[in-house]
Amino acid sequence: MTAAKEFEVVGKRLNRLDGEGKVTGAAVYASDFALPGMLHGKILRSPHAHARIVRIDTTAARKMPGVRAVVTGASQKLNRFGNFIKDFEVFASERVYHVGQPVAGIAADTEYAAKQALRAIEVEYAELPAVFDVMEALDKAAPLVHPDWQSLKAAPIIVREGNRCSRTVIKVGDVEEGFRNSYRVYEHVFRTSAVHAGYTEPRVAVAQWTASDQATIWCNTQLLFDTQSTLAEIFGISPSHIRVIVPGIGGGFGGKLRLGMEHYAMALARAAKRPVRVMSSSEEELTAALFRQPTTIELKTGVDREGHILAKQGRIVVDAGACSGSGPLVASTGTMILAGPYRLPNANLEGISVYTNNHPNGSIRAPSGPMPNFATESQMDMIAEDLGLDPLELRRRNILREGDIAVNGQKMTAVGLEECLDKAAVAIGWDHRKPEHNRGKGLACGWWMTSRGSSGSYLKLMQDGTLTMMVGVVEMGTGALTGAAQVVAEEMGMKLTDINVVSADSLTTPYDFGSQGSRTMFAVANASREAARDLLGKMRVRAAKALGADEQALAMRDKAFWSGEKKITFAELAAQANTAGGGLIAEATYIAPAAEHDASRVQNHFSPSWPSPSFHVHATDLSVDDVLGEVTINRYVVAQDVGYAINPTYLEGQLEGGAVQGVGQALSEEIIIANGHVQNGNLTDYKMPTAMDVPKIEVILVTHPSVAGPYGAKGVGEPPTIQPPAAVANAVAAACGKRIMHLPITAEKILLG
Amino acid sequence: MDFRLHSAKSADHALEIAAGLKEGWRYVAGGTDLVIQLRRGVRKSDDLIDLSSIASMRGIKEDESGFQLGALCTHKDIELHEGLSAAYPALLAAARVVGGHQIRNVGTVGGNLANASPAADVAVALLALDALIDVKGRSGARVVEIDELFVSSSKTTLAPGELIERVRLPRLTGETHSAFLKVGRRKAMEISVVSAAICLAFGANGVCEKARIALGAVGPRPLRAKAAERLLEGAKIDAELIARVAAQARAECTPRSDPRASAAYRSQVVEGLVKRGISQCVRIS
Ligand SMILES: Cc1cc2nc3c(=O)[nH]c(=O)nc-3n(C[C@H](O)[C@H](O)[C@H](O)COP(=O)(O)OP(=O)(O)OC[C@H]3O[C@@H](n4cnc5c(N)ncnc54)[C@H](O)[C@@H]3O)c2cc1C
């Protein structure tokens, strides 16, 4: 597929359809959106990690200048919500169970007035015992974060016990036997910290009730339809009575998958009978957003003399925070990352998510990727070192190759891992792993999936001969919709700029699983391509009739159908169809086929099959300052099996950006939490890397086409954030001999650890 | 954040406005420290006196005695002034690592000093360079030696109402070398976890005649490691002495643990920075 046919539009470095507006500033984002008469909402948050609310008095606040509405848990009956367990409340009713939990909201004429009025709300709390450490939370004697956990509605796949809110297991063979046969057995514990998604635009929503049971929300969610159904559930109204529109989104990275400000805006707008806008401040972002879950990972691996893995036992313990959120999913998928892209004859891998009185966490780009990858890939290097083997060679002896059976029993196809490994090693100059004192190189392997979920696409041929494509996802800035449009243009024999994309309106666009899971371009392009084929068929029928020719004999070129010298253009076809034929439209839906796996190996697993898996290797060359502990990355190489590059430019952008995000998590980013209180809740002390901290990311595209993907493409967006922590940890160890087992790898840990 | 902004046309005008206001007012120059403090509620002010349009407090002048920096000089002004940055490498090194370009374009020298953060980069460099501070108050003008300016975190010896008009840097004579080094979690937009400014003057025989070791974020104020300085003065510097001086400097610090770093890390790193800073000055000489 790679070398075969020359394509006109796919595979080309074409400019993004949304590029000009975003570059010039003309593009409208959700935070730009305003309505006449709009009020501004602010949220009062709990100062306690666990407390009973004794009394809330809003009388004084209601009298403050400009205040139009005050909402508390008692003033509006709102239903609980949550991805898998209904353990979130919009406003706390009787108890608060984490610092930053919303207790009340105020809508006022200005943001300033709302903020001032927050101070006039009196809340009396009676503090309760709290638990912050996942391991302590698992103890039978620990205070229960949700004493009523048994009465909270949960999805059937969820297995709960007190503070443990889920458990997933993958089991293959007999690990005990494997360990007994091992030449060496290694046991380590790794830990990772909470990090913020790092989107530029804070979460924002404007809500307007258009009838007593109908509302429209303009916000910056990544998931239109999940937002729609969750809001419907909270407010007890029909989902189709809630219209969700994303005018534009300034980055998401998973941090905007679940409700941000939408429910607060809706509750306040209902009380105030006016449109209300709520936007989180940067301090709220860094203290009360859905952070990537911190984890504790126990890993035990047995190998033979040659370094072949004989058995792997591990447990990833996910700190879900006070509400489970995506914790169960992350713990579950984490087991696959713990396994890694390796042949494992025996494995017993467990993922659990645990309630604590920390702020609820969520899913960030490759939600369960970097943490277990850090553990697994760090341990691979530790094993190599102990066995006196080259870490590259150790991986070569264990990696999955074409036709191998992965830990979930799935037969692997289109496996580009070895090629990634080889190319990354060559690019980084692996033969000189320690080029000088305090300088070293490290690498890490990884795999990920292309998430499933439905996509739909409506197409209509326009009278000017262009095509309008309506899809229910949000262009998050990845270029996914330009990629999908390139696929449609290729199919239609059009130019990319002939495709008009309409998206991100739950009322007018077809259902879509949303902008997540490395699947947006993949699924939307597949659905749209199918629709394009259907549309072309209809166009061909009309063209044949118009030209008095046989359908099969028609040639298609230059946006026209030809029969010999006679032609009818797409524009003419559309005009004709509109006036005399009802118009030319088509639609199609797509869901990726599930990959076959061995169900007997998994228990309560959320994603036991890995559709269109992708493979990746990162390699870095860095220096460690032995006096200060500071790390300087000299070079960074990403080799990723992307299947096929629909638009190499934006693909490279994804890999570069993802690696940078991963380097942040590796070296500097961490939400520091003490007793449930964030210690660095501002952009001075939350350290995302700057342009000075990251080198040029060198990207190598490896293409082992996926059968299911459009033109062979695989999901690409999440994977590049997975490997940086491990690659950096391994390079640090190579450079200075220090093995850091707790992210981030700060200078302090290197120097004193 | 809610305040009245008063624009001052001259230093005297600023003093006059100040005299007419109730307590709790503040001067504001670039606002890069103050606005954040007001927003976070660390500080409250009903009245701000804006110094930024006082022409006499801008610009960098040079005469026989040395350089004069208006208090409103931005970090970028320092970075771009060739004569100044050539004469005082430590000052250049400090100015160019303050925040990012945007902060350096608005943040001022006067603000960096008056805010009196123990981590203030330019303040630490100026401390090593024996800067003199021209201060003006209702009762007249006076000169403050920089080492006399800082009391503790956000506290100076400026009397109520006094403002910093300019900073004077004495001309360095003979073989003098300076260096500034900073440690943080990232390479830009970073408040120093530890910083060190070193200034060493050498005699013709290569003996160190005068030494200044100024340290940031390792005590309640930008501090001088005076005992360590004395070890250098009158000595020929070698590796063994550098190690002793660095250890002594470390002993003179009282770092704290905070979310940015632990006291233990600061202690260890300050020793490393002093060593490196002295070595840099010695290598050049
Ligand atoms: C993102 C960011 C990054 C930063 N990074 C650094 C850094 O790396 N290193 C560093 O040292 N600092 C840093 N800072 C802090 C700040 O930018 C500097 O301290 C700057 O020099 C302050 O100057 P200013 O003019 O903005 O002060 P302002 O905020 O205007 O004033 C600060 C204080 O000084 C007083 N004041 C100002 N001028 C005078 C005067 N002439 N006389 C008397 N009192 C006066 C004010 O009343 C106020 O109390 C950073 C700030 C930000 C926001």
Side-chain angles (χ1 to χ4, degrees):
Chain A
M1 176 146 283
T2 36
K5 179 172 148 205
E6 249 316 295
F7 297 117
E8 300 291 327
V9 192
V10 298
K12 300 279 188 282
R13 296 178 180 273
L14 300 173
N15 284 345
R16 260 167 70 162
L17 292 173
D18 56 338
E20 186 179 328
K22 285 179 176 170
V23 169
T24 59
V28 174
Y29 288 86
S31 51
D32 297 321
F33 187 81
L35 287 175
M38 184 176 84
L39 303 174
H40 298 267
K42 278 280 156 199
I43 296 161
L44 182 72
R45 297 175 180 279
S46 163
H48 300 294
H50 198 189
R52 195 165 51 80
I53 299 174
V54 180
R55 183 181 66 93
I56 303 187
D57 188 347
T58 59
T59 331
R62 285 176 198 279
K63 291 189 190 130
M64 296 278 286
V67 171
R68 304 289 173 167
V70 181
V71 177
T72 65
S75 69
Q76 266 191 36
K77 172 84 195 89
L78 301 173
N79 297 315
R80 286 168 178 257
F81 64 102
N83 319 16
F84 304 108
I85 306 172
K86 307 298 172 196
D87 49 16
F88 275 98
E89 290 181 284
V90 182
F91 294 105
S93 53
E94 291 157 15
R95 257 179 341 119
V96 287
Y97 24 88
H98 63 86
V99 175
Q101 186 172 343
V103 172
I106 290 185
D109 292 342
T110 62
E111 208 176 321
Y112 182 72
K115 222 159 124 184
Q116 295 296 100
L118 283 187
R119 297 199 199 128
I121 299 179
E122 288 172 38
V123 190
E124 193 186 316
Y125 295 97
E127 281 195 70
L128 296 167
V131 60
F132 304 107
D133 179 273
V134 274
M135 294 309 182
E136 282 171 26
L138 284 172
D139 195 298
K140 288 266 179 294
L144 285 174
V145 176
H146 293 284
D148 55 346
W149 64 271
Q150 275 159 315
S151 67
L152 299 174
K153 262 193 280 169
I157 196 166
I158 297 284
V159 188
R160 290 177 287 170
E161 181 65 55
N163 283 331
R164 197 195 69 205
C165 44
S166 73
R167 179 167 185 267
T168 292
V169 178
I170 296 189
K171 235 183 203 158
V172 187
D174 179 348
V175 276
E176 289 312 326
E177 166 93 17
F179 288 133
R180 271 196 301 278
N181 295 336
S182 291
Y183 166 63
R184 292 267 164 84
V185 176
Y186 302 88
E187 263 190 277
H188 301 104
V189 179
F190 299 87
R191 282 185 296 149
T192 66
S193 302
V195 294
H196 189 268
Y199 38 76
T200 325
E201 183 195 37
R203 293 162 303 156
V204 62
V206 175
Q208 180 176 39
W209 288 79
T210 48
S212 61
D213 62 347
Q214 287 188 25
T216 303
I217 321 297
W218 293 264
C219 60
N220 52 11
T221 181
Q222 294 174 230
L223 306 182
L224 291 177
F225 295 93
D226 183 77
T227 297
Q228 182 188 48
S229 58
T230 309
L231 289 173
E233 184 181 1
I234 291 171
F235 289 89
I237 58 180
S238 166
S240 54
H241 284 180
I242 294 178
R243 182 176 184 182
V244 181
I245 298 173
V246 177
I249 174 172
F253 308 108
K256 293 173 181 166
L257 291 170
R258 305 297 161 185
L259 290 191
M261 299 294 128
E262 295 86 352
H263 41 335
Y264 308 121
M266 254 178 93
L268 286 167
R270 181 154 77 176
K273 300 192 167 52
R274 295 256 297 264
V276 174
R277 173 185 195 259
V278 184
M279 177 152 114
S280 65
S281 65
S282 60
E283 286 77 9
E284 280 177 300
E285 280 298 338
L286 291 162
T287 53
L290 298 172
F291 310 124
R292 188 192 284 285
Q293 294 95 347
T295 62
T296 301
I297 296 164
E298 302 151 342
L299 196 56
K300 180 175 172 187
T301 303
V303 296
D304 68 13
R305 274 171 197 281
E306 286 76 44
H308 299 107
I309 303 172
L310 299 186
K312 195 168 194 178
Q313 182 166 23
R315 181 165 82 143
I316 169 167
V317 183
V318 169
D319 181 355
C323 303
S324 52
S326 68
L329 174 68
V330 168
S332 174
T333 310
T335 56
M336 291 290 281
I337 306 295
L338 266 190
Y342 298 116
R343 276 174 285 123
L344 302 178
N346 303 292
N348 185 353
L349 303 168
E350 184 186 359
I352 62 173
S353 59
V354 180
Y355 286 126
T356 61
N357 292 105
N358 291 321
H359 194 277
N361 295 302
S363 284
I364 311 286
R365 194 173 188 172
S368 35
M371 312 85 106
N373 184 265
F374 168 62
T376 288
E377 290 297 291
S378 292
Q379 196 183 52
M380 285 299 273
D381 266 42
M382 291 153 95
I383 294 171
E385 189 183 355
D386 187 65
L387 295 179
L389 272 176
D390 178 344
L392 176 65
E393 178 54 29
L394 179 71
R395 287 176 175 82
R396 282 220 176 89
R397 289 180 189 181
N398 288 286
I399 53 170
L400 292 171
R401 292 184 172 79
E402 201 67 24
D404 279 343
I405 304 297
V407 69
N408 60 346
Q410 182 178 334
K411 188 171 170 190
M412 292 286 109
T413 55
V415 188
L417 184 54
E418 189 163 28
E419 190 179 334
C420 288
L421 205 50
D422 291 343
K423 289 189 166 163
V426 169
I428 206 72
W430 191 255
D431 291 344
H432 306 282
R433 240 192 115 207
K434 271 202 68 95
E436 58 194 29
H437 180 61
N438 283 325
R439 181 166 175 183
K441 298 174 187 179
L443 58 76
C445 292
W447 65 339
W448 193 248
M449 73 195 130
T450 310
S451 296
R452 299 181 65 214
S454 301
S455 277
S457 180
Y458 301 150
L459 299 182
K460 54 181 176 180
L461 190 67
M462 309 300 283
Q463 230 158 298
D464 57 2
T466 68
L467 184 85
T468 297
M469 164 180 148
M470 303 170 76
V471 292
V473 290
V474 176
E475 172 55 71
M476 270 213 292
T478 60
L481 288 185
T482 295
Q486 277 178 267
V487 168
V488 170
E490 184 71 49
E491 209 63 44
M492 298 294 300
M494 290 177 166
K495 294 202 301 277
L496 172 60
T497 47
D498 290 329
I499 313 297
N500 319 301
V501 179
V502 176
S503 64
D505 179 344
S506 68
L507 187 65
T508 58
T509 58
Y511 173 82
D512 203 293
F513 185 54
S515 302
Q516 59 174 332
S518 299
R519 48 123 7 230
T520 313
M521 194 287 293
F522 186 99
V524 170
N526 270 338
S528 303
R529 187 186 198 189
E530 196 57 40
R533 286 178 178 162
D534 183 36
L535 185 66
L536 270 183
K538 290 174 179 168
M539 289 161 64
R540 190 176 281 275
V541 171
R542 292 201 151 268
K545 220 186 257 166
L547 296 173
D550 183 29
E551 267 174 55
Q552 305 312 318
L554 290 183
M556 187 181 94
R557 65 171 188 276
D558 302 333
K559 287 185 272 180
F561 286 101
W562 298 75
S563 167
E565 289 302 293
K566 282 198 301 180
K567 70 165 179 182
I568 181 162
T569 65
F570 288 3
E572 287 162 350
L573 266 180
Q576 215 186 66
N578 285 354
T579 46
L584 273 165
I585 61 175
E587 44 81 11
T589 59
Y590 176 80
I591 184 159
E596 258 181 60
H597 70 280
D598 178 352
S600 71
R601 295 183 173 198
V602 295
Q603 293 165 28
N604 304 310
H605 207 293
F606 288 63
S607 41
S609 97
W610 277 49
S612 300
S614 62
F615 302 91
H616 357 94
V617 174
H618 287 204
T620 184
D621 163 347
L622 54 76
S623 301
V624 176
D625 184 320
D626 54 357
V627 175
L628 311 177
E630 285 182 342
V631 171
T632 301
I633 299 183
N634 304 310
R635 288 184 58 216
Y636 199 99
V637 173
V638 176
Q640 182 166 329
D641 176 6
V642 301
Y644 174 76
I646 302 266
N647 188 322
T649 301
Y650 303 125
L651 190 43
E652 287 159 4
Q654 285 298 294
L655 306 199
E656 290 165 11
V660 170
Q661 206 163 17
V663 164
Q665 182 168 5
L667 289 174
S668 57
E669 289 185 49
E670 109 190 78
I671 301 279
I672 304 169
I673 306 173
N675 296 331
H677 290 264
V678 174
Q679 305 295 300
N680 58 338
N682 57 67
L683 285 167
T684 312
D685 287 316
Y686 183 78
K687 311 285 188 187
M688 281 184 268
T690 69
M692 303 285 286
D693 297 286
V694 279
K696 178 177 154 39
I697 307 290
E698 300 163 48
V699 170
I700 300 167
L701 301 181
V702 170
T703 52
H704 290 239
S706 148
V707 177
Y711 296 88
K714 296 175 177 178
V716 297
E718 294 167 296
T721 43
I722 298 175
Q723 291 83 189
V728 168
N730 289 340
V732 165
C736 68
K738 284 276 171 73
R739 172 58 62 181
I740 308 301
M741 323 259 289
H742 184 182
L743 292 180
I745 304 164
T746 59
E748 174 158 354
K749 286 181 194 153
I750 292 175
L751 205 61
L752 305 181
Chain B
M1 196 167 44
D2 204 4
F3 53 80
R4 280 175 295 273
L5 191 67
H6 309 265
S7 180
K9 304 281 170 272
S10 65
D12 289 324
H13 186 212
L15 297 173
E16 195 185 305
I17 300 172
L21 293 171
K22 289 202 304 286
E23 230 179 289
W25 63 269
R26 291 225 148 229
Y27 292 126
V28 61
T32 58
D33 273 317
L34 186 63
V35 174
I36 288 176
Q37 293 157 3
L38 294 174
R39 243 194 110 245
R40 288 191 189 154
V42 188
R43 214 180 268 297
K44 207 182 138 9
S45 266
D46 291 330
D47 294 276
L48 300 187
I49 304 175
D50 178 12
L51 305 178
S52 64
S53 36
I54 305 178
S56 66
M57 282 168 56
R58 295 199 162 276
I60 298 170
K61 286 192 208 91
E62 185 182 2
D63 58 25
E64 321 73 68
S65 69
F67 289 85
Q68 299 179 11
L69 284 65
L72 291 171
C73 239
T74 64
H75 304 298
K76 194 55 106 183
D77 291 337
I78 295 175
E79 191 182 333
L80 297 179
H81 193 281
E82 280 174 27
L84 184 67
S85 54
Y88 311 97
L91 182 61
L92 170 68
R96 73 188 315 168
V97 293
V98 172
H101 292 285
Q102 296 94 328
I103 294 297
R104 298 204 283 279
N105 282 335
V106 285
T108 66
V109 172
N112 199 259
L113 290 171
N115 187 60
S117 157
D121 291 323
V122 166
V124 168
L126 291 174
L127 183 57
L129 296 169
D130 280 340
L132 296 170
I133 317 294
D134 285 350
V135 165
K136 197 167 205 179
R138 290 286 277 179
S139 52
R142 63 187 182 108
V143 179
V144 180
E145 286 181 21
I146 186 165
D147 195 28
E148 302 298 318
L149 181 70
F150 308 112
V151 178
S152 59
S153 185
S154 68
K155 257 183 112 157
T156 64
T157 52
L158 293 178
E162 269 186 331
L163 58 75
I164 297 176
E165 252 194 313
R166 71 184 69 77
V167 175
R168 280 188 281 137
L169 282 170
R171 189 168 290 283
L172 299 177
T173 47
E175 189 79 359
T176 303
H177 299 288
S178 68
F180 174 87
L181 297 163
K182 156 173 179 173
V183 175
R185 200 177 272 203
R186 54 185 181 191
K187 300 193 189 328
M189 293 300 278
E190 187 67 333
I191 308 293
S192 287
V193 161
V194 177
S195 66
I198 314 285
C199 185
L200 304 179
F202 297 91
N205 51 3
V207 166
C208 175
E209 289 183 337
K210 184 176 161 189
R212 290 288 179 269
I213 300 175
L215 305 172
V218 284
R221 50 160 278 183
L223 58 89
R224 291 244 319 264
K226 291 181 184 168
E229 289 172 359
R230 281 195 297 274
L231 291 178
L232 286 168
E233 285 172 350
K236 260 199 114 92
I237 302 175
D238 59 16
E240 185 272 334
L241 178 60
I242 293 177
R244 262 198 307 134
V245 169
Q248 174 56 41
R250 173 183 185 159
E252 291 177 67
C253 299
T254 53
R256 279 193 331 181
S257 289
D258 62 23
R260 288 175 192 152
S262 70
Y265 177 71
R266 288 194 159 103
S267 251
Q268 178 144 346
V269 156
V270 78
E271 186 172 343
L273 280 192
V274 169
K275 239 187 240 176
R276 198 169 274 182
I278 297 174
S279 307
Q280 263 186 28
C281 293
V282 173
R283 234 189 342 264
I284 307 165
S285 70

